Amino acid sequence: MYFWGDYYDGFKIKTPELIYDFEDKLIDISFGLKHALSLLDNGKVYSWGDGSYGELGQGKSFMIPSPKEIKFFTEEKIQIVKVEAGSRHSLCLDTLG
């Protein structure tokens, strides 16, 4: 996954830079105000960025600099098909709609 522009801590990346190399195929990604979500073809959901309002789904976390799996969906055997990041919230759509 390549990124450029304003990073969540104010750091600017002026040319495309590889910020994370997922082992599986990336099938959906969404960027909120200060955080992001991604969905891989293995069904795993990852989040990173500023989680001050709980939007990362990682429990109490404020800043996660690189993608980290949200274990809840794997542990609960919930199959996610779409991710959306809002300004201070996140949404994951499962196979049941």
Side-chain angles (χ1 to χ4, degrees):
M1 177 175 59
Y2 290 84
F3 178 85
W4 59 96
D6 284 344
Y7 216 25
Y8 39 80
D9 63 358
F11 181 70
K12 295 185 187 324
I13 299 174
K14 296 183 181 185
T15 59
E17 183 177 310
L18 181 66
I19 64 167
Y20 198 80
D21 187 12
F22 293 105
E23 293 179 14
D24 293 283
K25 184 178 176 184
L26 180 65
I27 59 172
D28 194 18
I29 190 165
S30 181
F31 289 87
L33 181 63
K34 294 184 177 182
H35 75 291
L37 299 172
S38 62
L39 173 64
L40 303 185
D41 68 349
N42 64 4
K44 293 182 180 179
V45 178
Y46 288 77
S47 65
W48 67 99
D50 184 349
S52 298
Y53 296 92
E55 59 268 57
L56 298 180
Q58 303 286 356
K60 292 191 178 224
S61 60
F62 293 99
M63 181 63 73
I64 296 178
S66 61
K68 180 179 177 184
E69 182 185 355
I70 301 174
K71 302 262 186 203
F72 172 82
F73 300 113
T74 305
E75 291 168 356
E76 297 295 321
K77 296 179 175 53
I78 299 170
Q79 187 177 356
I80 301 300
V81 296
K82 178 93 176 124
V83 295
E84 289 293 330
S87 60
R88 292 184 177 165
H89 65 281
S90 297
L91 177 124
C92 293
L93 181 67
D94 70 9
T95 54
L96 300 176

